Each structure stands twice: as structure tokens, then as C-alpha cells.
């Protein structure tokens, strides 16, 4: 399976062309390990993705990753990194990042995302302009 369809690639590129707190477009995962990625942007080079990266060590972080490197990963049993076909983002990337910080891993649990959204909202209200 191709990790990016043409329409996903175009959505990621469009997000990469403008600043903002975008919804994640794709979720990649290791089917035999703990690594998970939520990507919201793709640079014009067609290879540099930006998003939330969780390699399973308990410290997910926002950053960049190489699509070609992710595609080249070879796992046991002839497997490779996969795209979650059922993933549909419900919040901007900042909410997933805050939920991951609070949980120590990427989560899609609605309660965790709601708690993270509330925490970010409180933080924004109390920060100076």
C-alpha cells in the first residue's frame, strides 16, 4: 500500500504552504511495534513531513520526519509502516500533542482529547497577548 494517496499528498502540501494549527491528515503506525505518527504538513520537497512523532519511548514530540525513510523501514515478517485507513482527525495537531504529552503516547481517546483541549484553552486565556 502506498502511504500517501495523491489527495492526501495534496492536502499535506496545502497545509505546508500556509501557517496554522492544522488537523492531522494521516496517521502512520508500526504494526508490530509502538511507533505512531500523526502528520499535518508536507514540505514542498515532497519528503519532509511535519507532525506528532511517537517512537514508543514515552516522549512524543512535534517534529519533522522523512517520508522516504518511513517508507524504507522493513519490519519482521515482511511488514512495513502502515497508514491507518480509518483515521479521521477531530482536533488540530496542538490538541493531539497536548494529549500525547499528558498520556505519554499518542492517543485518540475522546476523553483525553477533551482534557487536552480544555488545558490548552485555559493556557491561552491566561497567557499575555
Amino acid at each position: 500500500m502506498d502511504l500517501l494517496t495523491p489527495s492526501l499528498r495534496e492536502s499535506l502540501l496545502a497545509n505546508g504552504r500556509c501557517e496554522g494549527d492544522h488537523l492531522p491528515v494521516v496517521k502512520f503506525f508500526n504494526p508490530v511495534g509502538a511507533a505512531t505518527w500523526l502528520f499535518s504538513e508536507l514540505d514542498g520537497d515532497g519528503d519532509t513531513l511535519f507532525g506528532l512523532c511517537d517512537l514508543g519511548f514515552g516522549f512524543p514530540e512535534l517534529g519533522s520526519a522523512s517520508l522516504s525513510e518511513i517508507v524504507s523501514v522493513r519490519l519482521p515478517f515482511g511488514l512495513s509502516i502502515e497508514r491507518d485507513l480509518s483515521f479521521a482527525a477531530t482536533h488540530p495537531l496542538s490538541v493531539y500533542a497536548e494529549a500525547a504529552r499528558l498520556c505519554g503516547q499518542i492517543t485518540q481517546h475522546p476523553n483525553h482529547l477533551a482534557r487536552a483541549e480544555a488545558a490548552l484553552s485555559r493556557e491561552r486565556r491566561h497567557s499575555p497577548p
Side-chain angles (χ1 to χ4, degrees):
M1 166 186 32
D2 286 336
L3 285 180
L4 292 181
T5 64
S7 64
L8 291 173
R9 179 178 293 277
E10 185 49 44
S11 294
L12 289 162
L13 284 166
N15 287 349
R17 288 190 289 267
C18 62
E19 289 188 30
D21 187 12
H22 304 289
L23 292 176
V25 174
V26 294
K27 175 183 177 184
F28 297 157
F29 67 96
N30 176 342
V32 294
T36 305
W37 300 265
L38 297 180
F39 291 116
S40 61
E41 300 171 33
L42 179 63
D43 283 354
D45 66 9
D47 187 59
T48 306
L49 293 157
F50 177 79
L52 183 60
C53 306
D54 181 358
L55 299 180
F57 301 122
F59 302 99
E61 61 185 18
L62 291 169
S64 297
S66 166
L67 177 60
S68 61
E69 286 184 18
I70 292 172
V71 167
S72 72
V73 172
R74 294 294 163 246
L75 302 167
F77 315 112
L79 297 172
S80 57
I81 302 300
E82 297 184 15
R83 177 171 37 94
D84 183 343
L85 300 176
S86 66
F87 176 73
T90 56
H91 297 279
L93 188 61
S94 63
V95 173
Y96 287 95
E98 179 65 11
R101 187 189 67 76
L102 294 170
C103 295
Q105 63 184 3
I106 290 176
T107 179
Q108 291 177 252
H109 192 285
N111 292 346
H112 297 158
L113 293 171
R115 203 172 356 216
E117 187 173 44
L120 288 173
S121 179
R122 279 191 306 276
E123 185 178 300
R124 289 180 186 128
R125 281 195 312 265
H126 292 96
S127 64

